Amino acid sequence: MNVFSLLSSAARLTPTRLAFVDGSGPIVYREAAARALALAARLRARGVRAGDRVATLLPNTEGHWFAYFAAAACGAVLVPLNTRLSVGELDDILQHAGARLLLHDRDDAARAAELARSVANADVDALLAEAADGGDPAGADDPDGTA
């Protein structure tokens, strides 16, 4: 059993129950699971597989929540980074963790670009940029034009 099964079960058993409230309003479990799965599909498309590490440079927002469950849906390990750390400190953590992908929001795009060399495949993406606005994570920024 992995943590995604908790969200999946909630979506199946209580699809219209409130999961949380984000900046755009209430999100029910059915929608939360769908958005997490959409992000999981993007992660898989970027090569994330079970056991891989996916780092997040995100504040404590709904985007981080979706990343948490999306990584779990892929069988990946989430490596949350503290947004208050310096680039040097973040770089050390990324190198030690062996992250395959670094997810970030628009606010941390510049710092994420500086950290790209520390990500296993130099794959840095703002997959969550639209998720925080209630948009489709699949339509978010793609800096290298490959997704």
Side-chain angles (χ1 to χ4, degrees):
M1 175 148 116
N2 99 20
V3 73
F4 182 76
S5 66
L6 299 172
L7 178 58
S8 179
S9 292
R12 188 179 73 256
L13 298 172
T14 58
T16 59
R17 181 178 260 172
L18 181 67
F20 63 89
V21 177
D22 72 359
S24 64
I27 303 290
V28 296
Y29 281 108
R30 176 181 43 236
E31 181 182 351
R35 287 172 66 177
L37 285 173
L39 179 56
R42 279 292 298 266
L43 295 177
R44 284 189 199 99
R46 299 297 284 231
V48 173
R49 300 293 176 253
D52 285 344
R53 281 137 184 91
V54 175
T56 56
L57 185 59
L58 297 165
N60 292 330
T61 62
E62 65 278 358
H64 194 269
W65 194 89
F66 288 122
Y68 176 77
F69 284 105
C74 293
V77 178
L78 193 72
V79 181
L81 300 171
N82 186 330
T83 58
R84 294 181 178 165
L85 296 177
S86 71
V87 170
E89 292 167 316
L90 294 168
D91 187 64
D92 289 343
I93 294 167
L94 285 170
Q95 287 184 37
H96 186 265
R100 177 174 183 80
L101 185 71
L102 172 60
L103 299 177
H104 61 88
D105 61 8
R106 288 183 182 109
D107 293 340
D108 281 306
R111 291 193 324 151
E114 289 183 63
L115 295 166
R117 65 183 174 83
S118 298
V119 179
N121 292 326
D123 201 354
V124 177
D125 204 348
L127 292 173
L128 296 169
E130 301 270 329
D133 299 326
D136 179 8
D141 297 341
D142 182 19
D144 60 3
T146 60

PDB file of all heavy atoms in Angstrom, residues 56-95:
ATOM      1  N   THR A  56      10.993  18.852  -4.746  1.00  0.00           N
ATOM      2  CA  THR A  56      10.056  19.964  -4.886  1.00  0.00           C
ATOM      3  C   THR A  56      10.627  21.197  -4.212  1.00  0.00           C
ATOM      4  O   THR A  56      11.084  21.139  -3.073  1.00  0.00           O
ATOM      5  CB  THR A  56       8.682  19.643  -4.263  1.00  0.00           C
ATOM      6  OG1 THR A  56       8.862  19.280  -2.890  1.00  0.00           O
ATOM      7  CG2 THR A  56       7.986  18.524  -4.999  1.00  0.00           C
ATOM      8  N   LEU A  57      10.626  22.281  -4.926  1.00  0.00           N
ATOM      9  CA  LEU A  57      11.004  23.591  -4.391  1.00  0.00           C
ATOM     10  C   LEU A  57       9.730  24.429  -4.426  1.00  0.00           C
ATOM     11  O   LEU A  57       9.489  25.193  -5.343  1.00  0.00           O
ATOM     12  CB  LEU A  57      12.120  24.211  -5.239  1.00  0.00           C
ATOM     13  CG  LEU A  57      12.711  25.533  -4.738  1.00  0.00           C
ATOM     14  CD1 LEU A  57      13.289  25.371  -3.334  1.00  0.00           C
ATOM     15  CD2 LEU A  57      13.768  26.035  -5.696  1.00  0.00           C
ATOM     16  N   LEU A  58       8.900  24.204  -3.418  1.00  0.00           N
ATOM     17  CA  LEU A  58       7.558  24.786  -3.377  1.00  0.00           C
ATOM     18  C   LEU A  58       7.211  25.222  -1.967  1.00  0.00           C
ATOM     19  O   LEU A  58       7.608  24.575  -1.004  1.00  0.00           O
ATOM     20  CB  LEU A  58       6.523  23.739  -3.802  1.00  0.00           C
ATOM     21  CG  LEU A  58       6.624  23.202  -5.220  1.00  0.00           C
ATOM     22  CD1 LEU A  58       5.798  21.936  -5.358  1.00  0.00           C
ATOM     23  CD2 LEU A  58       6.143  24.257  -6.190  1.00  0.00           C
ATOM     24  N   PRO A  59       6.427  26.282  -1.857  1.00  0.00           N
ATOM     25  CA  PRO A  59       5.890  26.631  -0.532  1.00  0.00           C
ATOM     26  C   PRO A  59       4.796  25.620  -0.160  1.00  0.00           C
ATOM     27  O   PRO A  59       4.412  24.777  -0.972  1.00  0.00           O
ATOM     28  CB  PRO A  59       5.310  28.028  -0.749  1.00  0.00           C
ATOM     29  CG  PRO A  59       4.986  28.078  -2.203  1.00  0.00           C
ATOM     30  CD  PRO A  59       6.002  27.201  -2.895  1.00  0.00           C
ATOM     31  N   ASN A  60       4.305  25.711   1.041  1.00  0.00           N
ATOM     32  CA  ASN A  60       3.244  24.809   1.499  1.00  0.00           C
ATOM     33  C   ASN A  60       1.908  25.249   0.912  1.00  0.00           C
ATOM     34  O   ASN A  60       1.120  25.930   1.553  1.00  0.00           O
ATOM     35  CB  ASN A  60       3.176  24.787   3.028  1.00  0.00           C
ATOM     36  CG  ASN A  60       4.391  24.143   3.627  1.00  0.00           C
ATOM     37  OD1 ASN A  60       4.987  23.265   3.017  1.00  0.00           O
ATOM     38  ND2 ASN A  60       4.776  24.575   4.799  1.00  0.00           N
ATOM     39  N   THR A  61       1.679  24.832  -0.337  1.00  0.00           N
ATOM     40  CA  THR A  61       0.474  25.190  -1.071  1.00  0.00           C
ATOM     41  C   THR A  61      -0.144  23.933  -1.657  1.00  0.00           C
ATOM     42  O   THR A  61       0.403  22.838  -1.517  1.00  0.00           O
ATOM     43  CB  THR A  61       0.800  26.159  -2.227  1.00  0.00           C
ATOM     44  OG1 THR A  61       1.693  25.474  -3.124  1.00  0.00           O
ATOM     45  CG2 THR A  61       1.436  27.443  -1.725  1.00  0.00           C
ATOM     46  N   GLU A  62      -1.253  24.105  -2.366  1.00  0.00           N
ATOM     47  CA  GLU A  62      -1.890  22.958  -3.000  1.00  0.00           C
ATOM     48  C   GLU A  62      -0.967  22.316  -4.042  1.00  0.00           C
ATOM     49  O   GLU A  62      -1.037  21.119  -4.281  1.00  0.00           O
ATOM     50  CB  GLU A  62      -3.239  23.337  -3.611  1.00  0.00           C
ATOM     51  CG  GLU A  62      -3.186  24.315  -4.750  1.00  0.00           C
ATOM     52  CD  GLU A  62      -3.084  25.767  -4.320  1.00  0.00           C
ATOM     53  OE1 GLU A  62      -3.085  26.069  -3.109  1.00  0.00           O
ATOM     54  OE2 GLU A  62      -2.990  26.622  -5.221  1.00  0.00           O
ATOM     55  N   GLY A  63      -0.092  23.083  -4.658  1.00  0.00           N
ATOM     56  CA  GLY A  63       0.849  22.507  -5.616  1.00  0.00           C
ATOM     57  C   GLY A  63       1.736  21.462  -4.977  1.00  0.00           C
ATOM     58  O   GLY A  63       2.015  20.414  -5.562  1.00  0.00           O
ATOM     59  N   HIS A  64       2.164  21.727  -3.764  1.00  0.00           N
ATOM     60  CA  HIS A  64       2.986  20.743  -3.047  1.00  0.00           C
ATOM     61  C   HIS A  64       2.156  19.511  -2.706  1.00  0.00           C
ATOM     62  O   HIS A  64       2.629  18.380  -2.787  1.00  0.00           O
ATOM     63  CB  HIS A  64       3.582  21.366  -1.784  1.00  0.00           C
ATOM     64  CG  HIS A  64       4.665  20.540  -1.212  1.00  0.00           C
ATOM     65  ND1 HIS A  64       4.438  19.575  -0.271  1.00  0.00           N
ATOM     66  CD2 HIS A  64       5.997  20.504  -1.477  1.00  0.00           C
ATOM     67  CE1 HIS A  64       5.586  18.991   0.038  1.00  0.00           C
ATOM     68  NE2 HIS A  64       6.533  19.529  -0.686  1.00  0.00           N
ATOM     69  N   TRP A  65       0.908  19.733  -2.349  1.00  0.00           N
ATOM     70  CA  TRP A  65      -0.001  18.637  -2.021  1.00  0.00           C
ATOM     71  C   TRP A  65      -0.162  17.720  -3.230  1.00  0.00           C
ATOM     72  O   TRP A  65      -0.074  16.504  -3.112  1.00  0.00           O
ATOM     73  CB  TRP A  65      -1.340  19.241  -1.596  1.00  0.00           C
ATOM     74  CG  TRP A  65      -2.296  18.330  -0.927  1.00  0.00           C
ATOM     75  CD1 TRP A  65      -2.405  18.070   0.403  1.00  0.00           C
ATOM     76  CD2 TRP A  65      -3.325  17.555  -1.560  1.00  0.00           C
ATOM     77  NE1 TRP A  65      -3.431  17.192   0.634  1.00  0.00           N
ATOM     78  CE2 TRP A  65      -4.014  16.861  -0.551  1.00  0.00           C
ATOM     79  CE3 TRP A  65      -3.720  17.391  -2.885  1.00  0.00           C
ATOM     80  CZ2 TRP A  65      -5.081  16.010  -0.814  1.00  0.00           C
ATOM     81  CZ3 TRP A  65      -4.785  16.539  -3.144  1.00  0.00           C
ATOM     82  CH2 TRP A  65      -5.449  15.864  -2.119  1.00  0.00           C
ATOM     83  N   PHE A  66      -0.389  18.318  -4.423  1.00  0.00           N
ATOM     84  CA  PHE A  66      -0.528  17.507  -5.635  1.00  0.00           C
ATOM     85  C   PHE A  66       0.767  16.767  -5.959  1.00  0.00           C
ATOM     86  O   PHE A  66       0.748  15.615  -6.372  1.00  0.00           O
ATOM     87  CB  PHE A  66      -0.958  18.365  -6.825  1.00  0.00           C
ATOM     88  CG  PHE A  66      -2.376  18.828  -6.741  1.00  0.00           C
ATOM     89  CD1 PHE A  66      -2.669  20.172  -6.754  1.00  0.00           C
ATOM     90  CD2 PHE A  66      -3.420  17.928  -6.628  1.00  0.00           C
ATOM     91  CE1 PHE A  66      -3.986  20.617  -6.673  1.00  0.00           C
ATOM     92  CE2 PHE A  66      -4.738  18.350  -6.544  1.00  0.00           C
ATOM     93  CZ  PHE A  66      -5.018  19.704  -6.561  1.00  0.00           C
ATOM     94  N   ALA A  67       1.905  17.412  -5.777  1.00  0.00           N
ATOM     95  CA  ALA A  67       3.198  16.768  -6.039  1.00  0.00           C
ATOM     96  C   ALA A  67       3.394  15.566  -5.133  1.00  0.00           C
ATOM     97  O   ALA A  67       3.907  14.524  -5.557  1.00  0.00           O
ATOM     98  CB  ALA A  67       4.331  17.770  -5.846  1.00  0.00           C
ATOM     99  N   TYR A  68       3.003  15.708  -3.883  1.00  0.00           N
ATOM    100  CA  TYR A  68       3.131  14.619  -2.908  1.00  0.00           C
ATOM    101  C   TYR A  68       2.384  13.377  -3.380  1.00  0.00           C
ATOM    102  O   TYR A  68       2.938  12.277  -3.427  1.00  0.00           O
ATOM    103  CB  TYR A  68       2.598  15.117  -1.557  1.00  0.00           C
ATOM    104  CG  TYR A  68       2.572  14.097  -0.461  1.00  0.00           C
ATOM    105  CD1 TYR A  68       3.747  13.735   0.205  1.00  0.00           C
ATOM    106  CD2 TYR A  68       1.384  13.511  -0.056  1.00  0.00           C
ATOM    107  CE1 TYR A  68       3.722  12.809   1.226  1.00  0.00           C
ATOM    108  CE2 TYR A  68       1.354  12.585   0.965  1.00  0.00           C
ATOM    109  CZ  TYR A  68       2.519  12.233   1.606  1.00  0.00           C
ATOM    110  OH  TYR A  68       2.501  11.314   2.611  1.00  0.00           O
ATOM    111  N   PHE A  69       1.127  13.546  -3.745  1.00  0.00           N
ATOM    112  CA  PHE A  69       0.331  12.402  -4.175  1.00  0.00           C
ATOM    113  C   PHE A  69       0.706  11.922  -5.574  1.00  0.00           C
ATOM    114  O   PHE A  69       0.641  10.726  -5.860  1.00  0.00           O
ATOM    115  CB  PHE A  69      -1.159  12.718  -4.075  1.00  0.00           C
ATOM    116  CG  PHE A  69      -1.660  12.679  -2.656  1.00  0.00           C
ATOM    117  CD1 PHE A  69      -1.925  13.848  -1.977  1.00  0.00           C
ATOM    118  CD2 PHE A  69      -1.833  11.473  -1.998  1.00  0.00           C
ATOM    119  CE1 PHE A  69      -2.374  13.815  -0.664  1.00  0.00           C
ATOM    120  CE2 PHE A  69      -2.278  11.423  -0.688  1.00  0.00           C
ATOM    121  CZ  PHE A  69      -2.551  12.598  -0.011  1.00  0.00           C
ATOM    122  N   ALA A  70       1.116  12.822  -6.453  1.00  0.00           N
ATOM    123  CA  ALA A  70       1.545  12.419  -7.795  1.00  0.00           C
ATOM    124  C   ALA A  70       2.803  11.563  -7.733  1.00  0.00           C
ATOM    125  O   ALA A  70       2.905  10.551  -8.416  1.00  0.00           O
ATOM    126  CB  ALA A  70       1.777  13.647  -8.667  1.00  0.00           C
ATOM    127  N   ALA A  71       3.759  11.969  -6.917  1.00  0.00           N
ATOM    128  CA  ALA A  71       4.986  11.178  -6.762  1.00  0.00           C
ATOM    129  C   ALA A  71       4.636   9.794  -6.219  1.00  0.00           C
ATOM    130  O   ALA A  71       5.148   8.777  -6.710  1.00  0.00           O
ATOM    131  CB  ALA A  71       5.967  11.890  -5.844  1.00  0.00           C
ATOM    132  N   ALA A  72       3.759   9.750  -5.234  1.00  0.00           N
ATOM    133  CA  ALA A  72       3.346   8.462  -4.668  1.00  0.00           C
ATOM    134  C   ALA A  72       2.659   7.596  -5.714  1.00  0.00           C
ATOM    135  O   ALA A  72       2.889   6.383  -5.779  1.00  0.00           O
ATOM    136  CB  ALA A  72       2.429   8.687  -3.473  1.00  0.00           C
ATOM    137  N   ALA A  73       1.826   8.204  -6.562  1.00  0.00           N
ATOM    138  CA  ALA A  73       1.146   7.448  -7.610  1.00  0.00           C
ATOM    139  C   ALA A  73       2.145   6.819  -8.580  1.00  0.00           C
ATOM    140  O   ALA A  73       1.872   5.768  -9.152  1.00  0.00           O
ATOM    141  CB  ALA A  73       0.168   8.350  -8.368  1.00  0.00           C
ATOM    142  N   CYS A  74       3.295   7.445  -8.747  1.00  0.00           N
ATOM    143  CA  CYS A  74       4.358   6.910  -9.616  1.00  0.00           C
ATOM    144  C   CYS A  74       5.260   5.921  -8.881  1.00  0.00           C
ATOM    145  O   CYS A  74       6.123   5.304  -9.500  1.00  0.00           O
ATOM    146  CB  CYS A  74       5.242   8.045 -10.125  1.00  0.00           C
ATOM    147  SG  CYS A  74       4.439   9.182 -11.243  1.00  0.00           S
ATOM    148  N   GLY A  75       5.112   5.838  -7.574  1.00  0.00           N
ATOM    149  CA  GLY A  75       6.019   5.013  -6.782  1.00  0.00           C
ATOM    150  C   GLY A  75       7.337   5.708  -6.519  1.00  0.00           C
ATOM    151  O   GLY A  75       8.309   5.088  -6.105  1.00  0.00           O
ATOM    152  N   ALA A  76       7.372   7.013  -6.774  1.00  0.00           N
ATOM    153  CA  ALA A  76       8.597   7.794  -6.570  1.00  0.00           C
ATOM    154  C   ALA A  76       8.667   8.290  -5.119  1.00  0.00           C
ATOM    155  O   ALA A  76       7.681   8.253  -4.387  1.00  0.00           O
ATOM    156  CB  ALA A  76       8.625   8.978  -7.530  1.00  0.00           C
ATOM    157  N   VAL A  77       9.831   8.772  -4.765  1.00  0.00           N
ATOM    158  CA  VAL A  77      10.070   9.312  -3.432  1.00  0.00           C
ATOM    159  C   VAL A  77      10.126  10.832  -3.544  1.00  0.00           C
ATOM    160  O   VAL A  77      10.889  11.367  -4.337  1.00  0.00           O
ATOM    161  CB  VAL A  77      11.410   8.784  -2.857  1.00  0.00           C
ATOM    162  CG1 VAL A  77      11.691   9.383  -1.496  1.00  0.00           C
ATOM    163  CG2 VAL A  77      11.407   7.260  -2.815  1.00  0.00           C
ATOM    164  N   LEU A  78       9.309  11.514  -2.755  1.00  0.00           N
ATOM    165  CA  LEU A  78       9.302  12.972  -2.774  1.00  0.00           C
ATOM    166  C   LEU A  78      10.418  13.506  -1.887  1.00  0.00           C
ATOM    167  O   LEU A  78      10.617  13.035  -0.762  1.00  0.00           O
ATOM    168  CB  LEU A  78       7.957  13.506  -2.278  1.00  0.00           C
ATOM    169  CG  LEU A  78       7.725  14.979  -2.552  1.00  0.00           C
ATOM    170  CD1 LEU A  78       7.474  15.214  -4.044  1.00  0.00           C
ATOM    171  CD2 LEU A  78       6.547  15.495  -1.747  1.00  0.00           C
ATOM    172  N   VAL A  79      11.168  14.472  -2.409  1.00  0.00           N
ATOM    173  CA  VAL A  79      12.231  15.139  -1.658  1.00  0.00           C
ATOM    174  C   VAL A  79      11.842  16.614  -1.544  1.00  0.00           C
ATOM    175  O   VAL A  79      12.181  17.421  -2.405  1.00  0.00           O
ATOM    176  CB  VAL A  79      13.605  14.999  -2.366  1.00  0.00           C
ATOM    177  CG1 VAL A  79      14.696  15.684  -1.558  1.00  0.00           C
ATOM    178  CG2 VAL A  79      13.937  13.534  -2.615  1.00  0.00           C
ATOM    179  N   PRO A  80      11.095  16.964  -0.496  1.00  0.00           N
ATOM    180  CA  PRO A  80      10.696  18.362  -0.348  1.00  0.00           C
ATOM    181  C   PRO A  80      11.876  19.213   0.099  1.00  0.00           C
ATOM    182  O   PRO A  80      12.613  18.839   1.010  1.00  0.00           O
ATOM    183  CB  PRO A  80       9.608  18.311   0.719  1.00  0.00           C
ATOM    184  CG  PRO A  80       9.845  17.055   1.470  1.00  0.00           C
ATOM    185  CD  PRO A  80      10.561  16.116   0.551  1.00  0.00           C
ATOM    186  N   LEU A  81      12.071  20.329  -0.576  1.00  0.00           N
ATOM    187  CA  LEU A  81      13.162  21.238  -0.241  1.00  0.00           C
ATOM    188  C   LEU A  81      12.603  22.466   0.469  1.00  0.00           C
ATOM    189  O   LEU A  81      11.551  22.971   0.099  1.00  0.00           O
ATOM    190  CB  LEU A  81      13.894  21.674  -1.515  1.00  0.00           C
ATOM    191  CG  LEU A  81      14.513  20.553  -2.338  1.00  0.00           C
ATOM    192  CD1 LEU A  81      15.003  21.087  -3.680  1.00  0.00           C
ATOM    193  CD2 LEU A  81      15.638  19.884  -1.571  1.00  0.00           C
ATOM    194  N   ASN A  82      13.328  22.944   1.438  1.00  0.00           N
ATOM    195  CA  ASN A  82      12.925  24.131   2.178  1.00  0.00           C
ATOM    196  C   ASN A  82      13.210  25.359   1.322  1.00  0.00           C
ATOM    197  O   ASN A  82      14.365  25.617   0.954  1.00  0.00           O
ATOM    198  CB  ASN A  82      13.691  24.195   3.496  1.00  0.00           C
ATOM    199  CG  ASN A  82      13.236  25.303   4.398  1.00  0.00           C
ATOM    200  OD1 ASN A  82      12.773  26.348   3.946  1.00  0.00           O
ATOM    201  ND2 ASN A  82      13.376  25.083   5.692  1.00  0.00           N
ATOM    202  N   THR A  83      12.194  26.128   1.009  1.00  0.00           N
ATOM    203  CA  THR A  83      12.350  27.292   0.137  1.00  0.00           C
ATOM    204  C   THR A  83      13.174  28.399   0.787  1.00  0.00           C
ATOM    205  O   THR A  83      13.581  29.342   0.102  1.00  0.00           O
ATOM    206  CB  THR A  83      10.979  27.869  -0.271  1.00  0.00           C
ATOM    207  OG1 THR A  83      10.255  28.209   0.911  1.00  0.00           O
ATOM    208  CG2 THR A  83      10.190  26.867  -1.094  1.00  0.00           C
ATOM    209  N   ARG A  84      13.447  28.284   2.072  1.00  0.00           N
ATOM    210  CA  ARG A  84      14.231  29.314   2.764  1.00  0.00           C
ATOM    211  C   ARG A  84      15.738  29.036   2.727  1.00  0.00           C
ATOM    212  O   ARG A  84      16.524  29.873   3.151  1.00  0.00           O
ATOM    213  CB  ARG A  84      13.773  29.432   4.210  1.00  0.00           C
ATOM    214  CG  ARG A  84      12.360  29.948   4.308  1.00  0.00           C
ATOM    215  CD  ARG A  84      11.912  30.085   5.729  1.00  0.00           C
ATOM    216  NE  ARG A  84      10.564  30.624   5.774  1.00  0.00           N
ATOM    217  CZ  ARG A  84       9.808  30.604   6.833  1.00  0.00           C
ATOM    218  NH1 ARG A  84      10.252  30.078   7.958  1.00  0.00           N
ATOM    219  NH2 ARG A  84       8.598  31.110   6.795  1.00  0.00           N
ATOM    220  N   LEU A  85      16.130  27.883   2.205  1.00  0.00           N
ATOM    221  CA  LEU A  85      17.555  27.562   2.127  1.00  0.00           C
ATOM    222  C   LEU A  85      18.218  28.293   0.973  1.00  0.00           C
ATOM    223  O   LEU A  85      17.571  28.650  -0.015  1.00  0.00           O
ATOM    224  CB  LEU A  85      17.751  26.050   1.963  1.00  0.00           C
ATOM    225  CG  LEU A  85      17.286  25.170   3.126  1.00  0.00           C
ATOM    226  CD1 LEU A  85      17.485  23.702   2.775  1.00  0.00           C
ATOM    227  CD2 LEU A  85      18.020  25.524   4.408  1.00  0.00           C
ATOM    228  N   SER A  86      19.521  28.459   1.086  1.00  0.00           N
ATOM    229  CA  SER A  86      20.288  29.084   0.004  1.00  0.00           C
ATOM    230  C   SER A  86      20.441  28.098  -1.151  1.00  0.00           C
ATOM    231  O   SER A  86      20.259  26.885  -0.986  1.00  0.00           O
ATOM    232  CB  SER A  86      21.671  29.486   0.509  1.00  0.00           C
ATOM    233  OG  SER A  86      22.460  28.326   0.738  1.00  0.00           O
ATOM    234  N   VAL A  87      20.812  28.618  -2.307  1.00  0.00           N
ATOM    235  CA  VAL A  87      21.036  27.764  -3.467  1.00  0.00           C
ATOM    236  C   VAL A  87      22.116  26.729  -3.165  1.00  0.00           C
ATOM    237  O   VAL A  87      22.000  25.562  -3.541  1.00  0.00           O
ATOM    238  CB  VAL A  87      21.382  28.602  -4.718  1.00  0.00           C
ATOM    239  CG1 VAL A  87      21.853  27.719  -5.860  1.00  0.00           C
ATOM    240  CG2 VAL A  87      20.168  29.418  -5.155  1.00  0.00           C
ATOM    241  N   GLY A  88      23.167  27.137  -2.453  1.00  0.00           N
ATOM    242  CA  GLY A  88      24.231  26.194  -2.098  1.00  0.00           C
ATOM    243  C   GLY A  88      23.734  25.050  -1.227  1.00  0.00           C
ATOM    244  O   GLY A  88      24.102  23.892  -1.447  1.00  0.00           O
ATOM    245  N   GLU A  89      22.888  25.373  -0.260  1.00  0.00           N
ATOM    246  CA  GLU A  89      22.340  24.332   0.613  1.00  0.00           C
ATOM    247  C   GLU A  89      21.401  23.410  -0.162  1.00  0.00           C
ATOM    248  O   GLU A  89      21.444  22.181   0.003  1.00  0.00           O
ATOM    249  CB  GLU A  89      21.594  24.971   1.791  1.00  0.00           C
ATOM    250  CG  GLU A  89      22.513  25.700   2.754  1.00  0.00           C
ATOM    251  CD  GLU A  89      21.762  26.592   3.722  1.00  0.00           C
ATOM    252  OE1 GLU A  89      20.828  27.313   3.296  1.00  0.00           O
ATOM    253  OE2 GLU A  89      22.111  26.563   4.930  1.00  0.00           O
ATOM    254  N   LEU A  90      20.573  23.987  -1.018  1.00  0.00           N
ATOM    255  CA  LEU A  90      19.673  23.184  -1.844  1.00  0.00           C
ATOM    256  C   LEU A  90      20.454  22.284  -2.788  1.00  0.00           C
ATOM    257  O   LEU A  90      20.106  21.119  -2.993  1.00  0.00           O
ATOM    258  CB  LEU A  90      18.737  24.101  -2.644  1.00  0.00           C
ATOM    259  CG  LEU A  90      17.739  24.912  -1.828  1.00  0.00           C
ATOM    260  CD1 LEU A  90      17.083  25.978  -2.698  1.00  0.00           C
ATOM    261  CD2 LEU A  90      16.705  24.023  -1.170  1.00  0.00           C
ATOM    262  N   ASP A  91      21.527  22.826  -3.347  1.00  0.00           N
ATOM    263  CA  ASP A  91      22.387  22.071  -4.244  1.00  0.00           C
ATOM    264  C   ASP A  91      22.948  20.832  -3.540  1.00  0.00           C
ATOM    265  O   ASP A  91      22.930  19.729  -4.099  1.00  0.00           O
ATOM    266  CB  ASP A  91      23.521  22.979  -4.732  1.00  0.00           C
ATOM    267  CG  ASP A  91      24.361  22.328  -5.802  1.00  0.00           C
ATOM    268  OD1 ASP A  91      23.819  22.046  -6.886  1.00  0.00           O
ATOM    269  OD2 ASP A  91      25.554  22.104  -5.545  1.00  0.00           O
ATOM    270  N   ASP A  92      23.414  20.992  -2.312  1.00  0.00           N
ATOM    271  CA  ASP A  92      23.943  19.859  -1.541  1.00  0.00           C
ATOM    272  C   ASP A  92      22.883  18.785  -1.350  1.00  0.00           C
ATOM    273  O   ASP A  92      23.159  17.589  -1.508  1.00  0.00           O
ATOM    274  CB  ASP A  92      24.451  20.324  -0.175  1.00  0.00           C
ATOM    275  CG  ASP A  92      25.729  21.136  -0.255  1.00  0.00           C
ATOM    276  OD1 ASP A  92      26.414  21.088  -1.304  1.00  0.00           O
ATOM    277  OD2 ASP A  92      26.046  21.822   0.739  1.00  0.00           O
ATOM    278  N   ILE A  93      21.675  19.201  -1.003  1.00  0.00           N
ATOM    279  CA  ILE A  93      20.591  18.246  -0.766  1.00  0.00           C
ATOM    280  C   ILE A  93      20.253  17.499  -2.051  1.00  0.00           C
ATOM    281  O   ILE A  93      20.100  16.268  -2.055  1.00  0.00           O
ATOM    282  CB  ILE A  93      19.346  18.959  -0.203  1.00  0.00           C
ATOM    283  CG1 ILE A  93      19.645  19.508   1.193  1.00  0.00           C
ATOM    284  CG2 ILE A  93      18.140  18.014  -0.172  1.00  0.00           C
ATOM    285  CD1 ILE A  93      18.609  20.479   1.715  1.00  0.00           C
ATOM    286  N   LEU A  94      20.145  18.219  -3.165  1.00  0.00           N
ATOM    287  CA  LEU A  94      19.814  17.587  -4.443  1.00  0.00           C
ATOM    288  C   LEU A  94      20.877  16.573  -4.862  1.00  0.00           C
ATOM    289  O   LEU A  94      20.551  15.490  -5.347  1.00  0.00           O
ATOM    290  CB  LEU A  94      19.641  18.642  -5.536  1.00  0.00           C
ATOM    291  CG  LEU A  94      18.342  19.437  -5.481  1.00  0.00           C
ATOM    292  CD1 LEU A  94      18.391  20.594  -6.456  1.00  0.00           C
ATOM    293  CD2 LEU A  94      17.147  18.535  -5.768  1.00  0.00           C
ATOM    294  N   GLN A  95      22.134  16.933  -4.692  1.00  0.00           N
ATOM    295  CA  GLN A  95      23.204  16.008  -5.055  1.00  0.00           C
ATOM    296  C   GLN A  95      23.163  14.758  -4.189  1.00  0.00           C
ATOM    297  O   GLN A  95      23.336  13.645  -4.689  1.00  0.00           O
ATOM    298  CB  GLN A  95      24.558  16.702  -4.952  1.00  0.00           C
ATOM    299  CG  GLN A  95      24.782  17.697  -6.064  1.00  0.00           C
ATOM    300  CD  GLN A  95      26.158  18.311  -6.017  1.00  0.00           C
ATOM    301  OE1 GLN A  95      27.126  17.655  -5.683  1.00  0.00           O
ATOM    302  NE2 GLN A  95      26.238  19.587  -6.354  1.00  0.00           N
TER     303      GLN A  95
END
